[in-house]
Amino acid sequence: MVASVGHSCEKSTDLLSQYMNYKVSGSCPDDWSLAQKLILRGCEPLPRRRCFANKKKLSRECVNCFDLAGVENQRYVKSKGKNDFLLDDVLGLGSGGIRIGFDIGGGSGTFAARMAERNVTVITNTLNVDAPFSEFVASRGLFPLYLSVDHRFPFYDNVFDLVHASSGLDVGSKVEKLEFLMFDIDRVLRPGGLFWLDNFYCANDEKKGVLTRLIERFGYKKLKWVVGEKVDAATGKSEVYLSAVLQKPARG
């Protein structure tokens, strides 16, 4: 009989053995990157451990992730291009008002912080990829939810006025996985609520087409829909991004 939770852990016994190798009543090893790998393989929730949590180290690739005086300072209040929607403009589109929201892949929590300034409560879903994002979100007085997009969202139906997602919605080339994710987003979003797709990277026309067709199946009203290009600073190549604000229809 397969366990209802955590059964995927048995498929990663090598990583799980490393994760559970620690000194009881001592400090937990600095192995949060290992925990990430287990979660992304479906080993969720992780097994409990009898050790004390310690501080996490930043990856070299994330030295500027928490620079709130830099790029993060202007996000959602100042536009760099046509794909960057302003927060107040999007809030003005919400019928019945926006009071509570859910941010998928929220990084350092800047979206939730900006919304809090407007008396809107936002739960930030984030994983600690390359940096302790969950701890940082909490240190800003915001609510972090440590959860992968493979997991069913732990919320009741029709509870959110707004769902915001960007790169956190990217599930690679697995179309079926994206379909399951979209159904869960639709489930937690109330009728008339807004789904804000923010600068979603479209690797190619096929990926953009798959996402577009999937969204259209749900019958959402397109309040904003912008496909634009940005130049990657590292490669100098032009990349295609999709930004949209969609309104969930009322269904019988």
mmCIF file of all heavy atoms in Angstrom, residues 174-210:
data_model
loop_
_atom_site.group_PDB
_atom_site.id
_atom_site.type_symbol
_atom_site.label_atom_id
_atom_site.label_comp_id
_atom_site.label_asym_id
_atom_site.label_seq_id
_atom_site.Cartn_x
_atom_site.Cartn_y
_atom_site.Cartn_z
ATOM 1 N N LYS A 174 6.838 20.002 -19.851
ATOM 2 C CA LYS A 174 5.798 19.065 -19.450
ATOM 3 C C LYS A 174 4.424 19.738 -19.519
ATOM 4 O O LYS A 174 3.989 20.396 -18.581
ATOM 5 C CB LYS A 174 6.077 18.540 -18.046
ATOM 6 C CG LYS A 174 7.427 17.809 -17.944
ATOM 7 C CD LYS A 174 7.700 17.354 -16.527
ATOM 8 C CE LYS A 174 9.043 16.652 -16.421
ATOM 9 N NZ LYS A 174 9.363 16.235 -15.035
ATOM 10 N N VAL A 175 3.752 19.554 -20.656
ATOM 11 C CA VAL A 175 2.471 20.207 -20.891
ATOM 12 C C VAL A 175 1.416 19.743 -19.886
ATOM 13 O O VAL A 175 0.631 20.545 -19.366
ATOM 14 C CB VAL A 175 1.987 19.938 -22.332
ATOM 15 C CG1 VAL A 175 0.627 20.593 -22.564
ATOM 16 C CG2 VAL A 175 3.006 20.443 -23.339
ATOM 17 N N GLU A 176 1.378 18.447 -19.600
ATOM 18 C CA GLU A 176 0.386 17.917 -18.669
ATOM 19 C C GLU A 176 0.569 18.492 -17.272
ATOM 20 O O GLU A 176 -0.397 18.798 -16.573
ATOM 21 C CB GLU A 176 0.479 16.393 -18.624
ATOM 22 C CG GLU A 176 -0.643 15.744 -17.820
ATOM 23 C CD GLU A 176 -0.512 14.238 -17.774
ATOM 24 O OE1 GLU A 176 0.618 13.761 -17.591
ATOM 25 O OE2 GLU A 176 -1.538 13.551 -17.936
ATOM 26 N N LYS A 177 1.829 18.673 -16.876
ATOM 27 C CA LYS A 177 2.130 19.241 -15.560
ATOM 28 C C LYS A 177 1.630 20.676 -15.471
ATOM 29 O O LYS A 177 1.057 21.093 -14.450
ATOM 30 C CB LYS A 177 3.637 19.181 -15.322
ATOM 31 C CG LYS A 177 4.080 19.596 -13.942
ATOM 32 C CD LYS A 177 5.585 19.384 -13.791
ATOM 33 C CE LYS A 177 6.076 19.835 -12.430
ATOM 34 N NZ LYS A 177 7.533 19.626 -12.271
ATOM 35 N N LEU A 178 1.818 21.452 -16.538
ATOM 36 C CA LEU A 178 1.329 22.824 -16.575
ATOM 37 C C LEU A 178 -0.195 22.857 -16.527
ATOM 38 O O LEU A 178 -0.789 23.716 -15.867
ATOM 39 C CB LEU A 178 1.833 23.527 -17.841
ATOM 40 C CG LEU A 178 1.407 24.980 -18.036
ATOM 41 C CD1 LEU A 178 1.889 25.856 -16.877
ATOM 42 C CD2 LEU A 178 1.936 25.524 -19.364
ATOM 43 N N GLU A 179 -0.837 21.892 -17.171
ATOM 44 C CA GLU A 179 -2.296 21.828 -17.161
ATOM 45 C C GLU A 179 -2.822 21.581 -15.744
ATOM 46 O O GLU A 179 -3.758 22.245 -15.301
ATOM 47 C CB GLU A 179 -2.770 20.716 -18.092
ATOM 48 C CG GLU A 179 -4.284 20.601 -18.170
ATOM 49 C CD GLU A 179 -4.735 19.483 -19.085
ATOM 50 O OE1 GLU A 179 -3.907 18.624 -19.440
ATOM 51 O OE2 GLU A 179 -5.922 19.450 -19.426
ATOM 52 N N PHE A 180 -2.211 20.648 -15.013
ATOM 53 C CA PHE A 180 -2.609 20.390 -13.637
ATOM 54 C C PHE A 180 -2.416 21.643 -12.777
ATOM 55 O O PHE A 180 -3.249 21.971 -11.926
ATOM 56 C CB PHE A 180 -1.795 19.234 -13.051
ATOM 57 C CG PHE A 180 -2.395 17.877 -13.298
ATOM 58 C CD1 PHE A 180 -1.940 17.084 -14.339
ATOM 59 C CD2 PHE A 180 -3.418 17.406 -12.484
ATOM 60 C CE1 PHE A 180 -2.498 15.826 -14.562
ATOM 61 C CE2 PHE A 180 -3.976 16.156 -12.703
ATOM 62 C CZ PHE A 180 -3.513 15.352 -13.755
ATOM 63 N N LEU A 181 -1.315 22.348 -12.996
ATOM 64 C CA LEU A 181 -1.027 23.565 -12.229
ATOM 65 C C LEU A 181 -2.061 24.643 -12.503
ATOM 66 O O LEU A 181 -2.550 25.302 -11.582
ATOM 67 C CB LEU A 181 0.381 24.072 -12.584
ATOM 68 C CG LEU A 181 0.836 25.369 -11.927
ATOM 69 C CD1 LEU A 181 0.789 25.265 -10.408
ATOM 70 C CD2 LEU A 181 2.261 25.714 -12.382
ATOM 71 N N MET A 182 -2.428 24.808 -13.779
ATOM 72 C CA MET A 182 -3.430 25.816 -14.132
ATOM 73 C C MET A 182 -4.794 25.491 -13.510
ATOM 74 O O MET A 182 -5.507 26.396 -13.081
ATOM 75 C CB MET A 182 -3.555 25.908 -15.657
ATOM 76 C CG MET A 182 -2.451 26.718 -16.329
ATOM 77 S SD MET A 182 -2.449 28.455 -15.811
ATOM 78 C CE MET A 182 -4.099 28.950 -16.282
ATOM 79 N N PHE A 183 -5.149 24.218 -13.455
ATOM 80 C CA PHE A 183 -6.417 23.848 -12.835
ATOM 81 C C PHE A 183 -6.414 24.183 -11.343
ATOM 82 O O PHE A 183 -7.435 24.585 -10.784
ATOM 83 C CB PHE A 183 -6.701 22.355 -13.032
ATOM 84 C CG PHE A 183 -7.509 22.051 -14.266
ATOM 85 C CD1 PHE A 183 -6.906 21.507 -15.390
ATOM 86 C CD2 PHE A 183 -8.866 22.314 -14.297
ATOM 87 C CE1 PHE A 183 -7.659 21.230 -16.538
ATOM 88 C CE2 PHE A 183 -9.628 22.047 -15.439
ATOM 89 C CZ PHE A 183 -9.012 21.496 -16.564
ATOM 90 N N ASP A 184 -5.257 24.031 -10.686
ATOM 91 C CA ASP A 184 -5.197 24.342 -9.257
ATOM 92 C C ASP A 184 -5.220 25.849 -9.020
ATOM 93 O O ASP A 184 -5.793 26.327 -8.041
ATOM 94 C CB ASP A 184 -3.953 23.719 -8.623
ATOM 95 C CG ASP A 184 -4.212 23.245 -7.206
ATOM 96 O OD1 ASP A 184 -5.367 22.879 -6.903
ATOM 97 O OD2 ASP A 184 -3.278 23.246 -6.393
ATOM 98 N N ILE A 185 -4.583 26.617 -9.918
ATOM 99 C CA ILE A 185 -4.658 28.075 -9.836
ATOM 100 C C ILE A 185 -6.113 28.516 -9.996
ATOM 101 O O ILE A 185 -6.618 29.356 -9.243
ATOM 102 C CB ILE A 185 -3.778 28.729 -10.915
ATOM 103 C CG1 ILE A 185 -2.289 28.531 -10.585
ATOM 104 C CG2 ILE A 185 -4.090 30.220 -11.051
ATOM 105 C CD1 ILE A 185 -1.348 28.980 -11.678
ATOM 106 N N ASP A 186 -6.799 27.932 -10.975
ATOM 107 C CA ASP A 186 -8.195 28.262 -11.213
ATOM 108 C C ASP A 186 -9.059 27.901 -9.998
ATOM 109 O O ASP A 186 -9.982 28.630 -9.635
ATOM 110 C CB ASP A 186 -8.687 27.506 -12.445
ATOM 111 C CG ASP A 186 -10.128 27.813 -12.788
ATOM 112 O OD1 ASP A 186 -10.384 28.841 -13.434
ATOM 113 O OD2 ASP A 186 -11.015 27.023 -12.393
ATOM 114 N N ARG A 187 -8.727 26.790 -9.340
ATOM 115 C CA ARG A 187 -9.512 26.331 -8.193
ATOM 116 C C ARG A 187 -9.456 27.320 -7.034
ATOM 117 O O ARG A 187 -10.483 27.608 -6.403
ATOM 118 C CB ARG A 187 -8.987 24.961 -7.733
ATOM 119 C CG ARG A 187 -9.725 24.386 -6.531
ATOM 120 C CD ARG A 187 -9.114 23.072 -6.085
ATOM 121 N NE ARG A 187 -7.749 23.236 -5.605
ATOM 122 C CZ ARG A 187 -7.419 23.656 -4.385
ATOM 123 N NH1 ARG A 187 -8.374 24.002 -3.517
ATOM 124 N NH2 ARG A 187 -6.162 23.751 -4.025
ATOM 125 N N VAL A 188 -8.265 27.860 -6.733
ATOM 126 C CA VAL A 188 -8.127 28.735 -5.559
ATOM 127 C C VAL A 188 -8.508 30.186 -5.852
ATOM 128 O O VAL A 188 -8.664 30.988 -4.930
ATOM 129 C CB VAL A 188 -6.694 28.676 -4.987
ATOM 130 C CG1 VAL A 188 -6.354 27.261 -4.553
ATOM 131 C CG2 VAL A 188 -5.656 29.220 -5.967
ATOM 132 N N LEU A 189 -8.672 30.534 -7.127
ATOM 133 C CA LEU A 189 -9.032 31.902 -7.515
ATOM 134 C C LEU A 189 -10.552 32.045 -7.571
ATOM 135 O O LEU A 189 -11.238 31.215 -8.156
ATOM 136 C CB LEU A 189 -8.423 32.222 -8.880
ATOM 137 C CG LEU A 189 -8.579 33.638 -9.430
ATOM 138 C CD1 LEU A 189 -7.862 34.649 -8.534
ATOM 139 C CD2 LEU A 189 -8.026 33.713 -10.854
ATOM 140 N N ARG A 190 -11.071 33.096 -6.939
ATOM 141 C CA ARG A 190 -12.532 33.283 -6.928
ATOM 142 C C ARG A 190 -13.030 33.750 -8.294
ATOM 143 O O ARG A 190 -12.278 34.355 -9.079
ATOM 144 C CB ARG A 190 -12.918 34.322 -5.867
ATOM 145 C CG ARG A 190 -12.489 35.749 -6.189
ATOM 146 C CD ARG A 190 -13.228 36.745 -5.321
ATOM 147 N NE ARG A 190 -12.717 38.104 -5.479
ATOM 148 C CZ ARG A 190 -13.063 38.927 -6.472
ATOM 149 N NH1 ARG A 190 -13.898 38.520 -7.406
ATOM 150 N NH2 ARG A 190 -12.558 40.156 -6.529
ATOM 151 N N PRO A 191 -14.309 33.494 -8.619
ATOM 152 C CA PRO A 191 -14.900 34.024 -9.847
ATOM 153 C C PRO A 191 -14.789 35.552 -9.868
ATOM 154 O O PRO A 191 -15.099 36.214 -8.875
ATOM 155 C CB PRO A 191 -16.360 33.573 -9.761
ATOM 156 C CG PRO A 191 -16.326 32.359 -8.896
ATOM 157 C CD PRO A 191 -15.254 32.624 -7.890
ATOM 158 N N GLY A 192 -14.323 36.095 -10.970
ATOM 159 C CA GLY A 192 -14.098 37.537 -11.071
ATOM 160 C C GLY A 192 -12.718 37.947 -10.605
ATOM 161 O O GLY A 192 -12.314 39.098 -10.780
ATOM 162 N N GLY A 193 -11.973 37.004 -10.004
ATOM 163 C CA GLY A 193 -10.619 37.298 -9.549
ATOM 164 C C GLY A 193 -9.646 37.389 -10.710
ATOM 165 O O GLY A 193 -9.939 36.984 -11.842
ATOM 166 N N LEU A 194 -8.454 37.910 -10.432
ATOM 167 C CA LEU A 194 -7.457 38.165 -11.476
ATOM 168 C C LEU A 194 -6.290 37.192 -11.409
ATOM 169 O O LEU A 194 -5.775 36.901 -10.327
ATOM 170 C CB LEU A 194 -6.924 39.594 -11.357
ATOM 171 C CG LEU A 194 -7.943 40.735 -11.407
ATOM 172 C CD1 LEU A 194 -7.220 42.076 -11.311
ATOM 173 C CD2 LEU A 194 -8.785 40.669 -12.669
ATOM 174 N N PHE A 195 -5.888 36.702 -12.559
ATOM 175 C CA PHE A 195 -4.663 35.922 -12.696
ATOM 176 C C PHE A 195 -3.669 36.790 -13.462
ATOM 177 O O PHE A 195 -3.870 37.105 -14.624
ATOM 178 C CB PHE A 195 -4.932 34.620 -13.442
ATOM 179 C CG PHE A 195 -3.687 33.825 -13.748
ATOM 180 C CD1 PHE A 195 -2.674 33.685 -12.808
ATOM 181 C CD2 PHE A 195 -3.531 33.201 -14.987
ATOM 182 C CE1 PHE A 195 -1.531 32.955 -13.086
ATOM 183 C CE2 PHE A 195 -2.394 32.462 -15.269
ATOM 184 C CZ PHE A 195 -1.394 32.344 -14.320
ATOM 185 N N TRP A 196 -2.590 37.186 -12.781
ATOM 186 C CA TRP A 196 -1.579 38.077 -13.361
ATOM 187 C C TRP A 196 -0.361 37.232 -13.727
ATOM 188 O O TRP A 196 0.367 36.760 -12.874
ATOM 189 C CB TRP A 196 -1.219 39.157 -12.345
ATOM 190 C CG TRP A 196 -0.193 40.151 -12.799
ATOM 191 C CD1 TRP A 196 0.540 40.151 -13.959
ATOM 192 C CD2 TRP A 196 0.240 41.318 -12.080
ATOM 193 N NE1 TRP A 196 1.391 41.234 -14.019
ATOM 194 C CE2 TRP A 196 1.218 41.959 -12.879
ATOM 195 C CE3 TRP A 196 -0.113 41.863 -10.849
ATOM 196 C CZ2 TRP A 196 1.857 43.131 -12.450
ATOM 197 C CZ3 TRP A 196 0.523 43.031 -10.437
ATOM 198 C CH2 TRP A 196 1.491 43.655 -11.231
ATOM 199 N N LEU A 197 -0.157 37.051 -15.023
ATOM 200 C CA LEU A 197 1.015 36.361 -15.534
ATOM 201 C C LEU A 197 2.050 37.421 -15.869
ATOM 202 O O LEU A 197 1.860 38.223 -16.777
ATOM 203 C CB LEU A 197 0.642 35.544 -16.770
ATOM 204 C CG LEU A 197 1.707 34.605 -17.336
ATOM 205 C CD1 LEU A 197 2.112 33.557 -16.310
ATOM 206 C CD2 LEU A 197 1.211 33.932 -18.614
ATOM 207 N N ASP A 198 3.134 37.433 -15.122
ATOM 208 C CA ASP A 198 4.066 38.555 -15.129
ATOM 209 C C ASP A 198 5.412 38.176 -15.757
ATOM 210 O O ASP A 198 6.207 37.453 -15.162
ATOM 211 C CB ASP A 198 4.275 39.008 -13.674
ATOM 212 C CG ASP A 198 5.107 40.272 -13.561
ATOM 213 O OD1 ASP A 198 5.460 40.868 -14.588
ATOM 214 O OD2 ASP A 198 5.409 40.656 -12.416
ATOM 215 N N ASN A 199 5.647 38.637 -16.986
ATOM 216 C CA ASN A 199 6.925 38.413 -17.663
ATOM 217 C C ASN A 199 7.312 36.932 -17.701
ATOM 218 O O ASN A 199 8.389 36.530 -17.263
ATOM 219 C CB ASN A 199 8.044 39.218 -16.988
ATOM 220 C CG ASN A 199 8.027 40.683 -17.382
ATOM 221 O OD1 ASN A 199 8.505 41.067 -18.451
ATOM 222 N ND2 ASN A 199 7.453 41.505 -16.523
ATOM 223 N N PHE A 200 6.408 36.120 -18.236
ATOM 224 C CA PHE A 200 6.682 34.692 -18.387
ATOM 225 C C PHE A 200 7.560 34.482 -19.612
ATOM 226 O O PHE A 200 7.218 34.883 -20.715
ATOM 227 C CB PHE A 200 5.380 33.912 -18.526
ATOM 228 C CG PHE A 200 5.571 32.428 -18.647
ATOM 229 C CD1 PHE A 200 5.761 31.649 -17.518
ATOM 230 C CD2 PHE A 200 5.569 31.811 -19.896
ATOM 231 C CE1 PHE A 200 5.939 30.279 -17.620
ATOM 232 C CE2 PHE A 200 5.750 30.442 -20.006
ATOM 233 C CZ PHE A 200 5.934 29.684 -18.868
ATOM 234 N N TYR A 201 8.702 33.833 -19.406
ATOM 235 C CA TYR A 201 9.670 33.633 -20.486
ATOM 236 C C TYR A 201 9.199 32.537 -21.430
ATOM 237 O O TYR A 201 8.962 31.406 -21.015
ATOM 238 C CB TYR A 201 11.032 33.267 -19.895
ATOM 239 C CG TYR A 201 12.057 32.826 -20.918
ATOM 240 C CD1 TYR A 201 12.391 33.639 -22.004
ATOM 241 C CD2 TYR A 201 12.698 31.592 -20.796
ATOM 242 C CE1 TYR A 201 13.327 33.233 -22.939
ATOM 243 C CE2 TYR A 201 13.638 31.182 -21.724
ATOM 244 C CZ TYR A 201 13.945 32.002 -22.792
ATOM 245 O OH TYR A 201 14.869 31.594 -23.729
ATOM 246 N N CYS A 202 9.059 32.877 -22.704
ATOM 247 C CA CYS A 202 8.665 31.912 -23.736
ATOM 248 C C CYS A 202 9.909 31.519 -24.528
ATOM 249 O O CYS A 202 10.405 32.304 -25.340
ATOM 250 C CB CYS A 202 7.616 32.509 -24.671
ATOM 251 S SG CYS A 202 6.113 33.062 -23.841
ATOM 252 N N ALA A 203 10.401 30.324 -24.263
ATOM 253 C CA ALA A 203 11.648 29.882 -24.897
ATOM 254 C C ALA A 203 11.523 29.815 -26.421
ATOM 255 O O ALA A 203 12.491 30.016 -27.140
ATOM 256 C CB ALA A 203 12.069 28.530 -24.337
ATOM 257 N N ASN A 204 10.318 29.528 -26.914
ATOM 258 C CA ASN A 204 10.089 29.433 -28.358
ATOM 259 C C ASN A 204 8.603 29.639 -28.639
ATOM 260 O O ASN A 204 7.780 29.714 -27.724
ATOM 261 C CB ASN A 204 10.564 28.079 -28.896
ATOM 262 C CG ASN A 204 10.044 26.912 -28.064
ATOM 263 O OD1 ASN A 204 8.844 26.798 -27.836
ATOM 264 N ND2 ASN A 204 10.960 26.068 -27.596
ATOM 265 N N ASP A 205 8.255 29.719 -29.939
ATOM 266 C CA ASP A 205 6.863 29.942 -30.329
ATOM 267 C C ASP A 205 5.965 28.780 -29.907
ATOM 268 O O ASP A 205 4.783 28.977 -29.579
ATOM 269 C CB ASP A 205 6.768 30.139 -31.845
ATOM 270 C CG ASP A 205 7.310 31.488 -32.284
ATOM 271 O OD1 ASP A 205 7.351 32.405 -31.442
ATOM 272 O OD2 ASP A 205 7.697 31.621 -33.463
ATOM 273 N N GLU A 206 6.527 27.582 -29.896
ATOM 274 C CA GLU A 206 5.735 26.415 -29.500
ATOM 275 C C GLU A 206 5.303 26.517 -28.039
ATOM 276 O O GLU A 206 4.144 26.251 -27.707
ATOM 277 C CB GLU A 206 6.553 25.140 -29.707
ATOM 278 C CG GLU A 206 5.780 23.876 -29.351
ATOM 279 C CD GLU A 206 6.607 22.613 -29.523
ATOM 280 O OE1 GLU A 206 7.779 22.724 -29.954
ATOM 281 O OE2 GLU A 206 6.096 21.524 -29.208
ATOM 282 N N LYS A 207 6.229 26.925 -27.187
ATOM 283 C CA LYS A 207 5.915 27.054 -25.768
ATOM 284 C C LYS A 207 4.881 28.152 -25.540
ATOM 285 O O LYS A 207 3.956 27.996 -24.732
ATOM 286 C CB LYS A 207 7.185 27.365 -24.980
ATOM 287 C CG LYS A 207 7.005 27.314 -23.473
ATOM 288 C CD LYS A 207 8.337 27.388 -22.766
ATOM 289 C CE LYS A 207 8.168 27.223 -21.273
ATOM 290 N NZ LYS A 207 9.463 27.234 -20.557
ATOM 291 N N LYS A 208 5.038 29.268 -26.255
ATOM 292 C CA LYS A 208 4.060 30.352 -26.148
ATOM 293 C C LYS A 208 2.689 29.888 -26.625
ATOM 294 O O LYS A 208 1.659 30.192 -26.009
ATOM 295 C CB LYS A 208 4.522 31.552 -26.976
ATOM 296 C CG LYS A 208 3.616 32.770 -26.846
ATOM 297 C CD LYS A 208 4.095 33.916 -27.731
ATOM 298 C CE LYS A 208 3.869 33.604 -29.190
ATOM 299 N NZ LYS A 208 4.200 34.748 -30.082
ATOM 300 N N GLY A 209 2.662 29.106 -27.702
ATOM 301 C CA GLY A 209 1.407 28.608 -28.241
ATOM 302 C C GLY A 209 0.711 27.645 -27.298
ATOM 303 O O GLY A 209 -0.507 27.702 -27.126
ATOM 304 N N VAL A 210 1.487 26.764 -26.669
ATOM 305 C CA VAL A 210 0.929 25.799 -25.713
ATOM 306 C C VAL A 210 0.285 26.526 -24.541
ATOM 307 O O VAL A 210 -0.838 26.217 -24.124
ATOM 308 C CB VAL A 210 2.021 24.829 -25.216
ATOM 309 C CG1 VAL A 210 1.529 24.052 -23.999
ATOM 310 C CG2 VAL A 210 2.435 23.880 -26.321
#
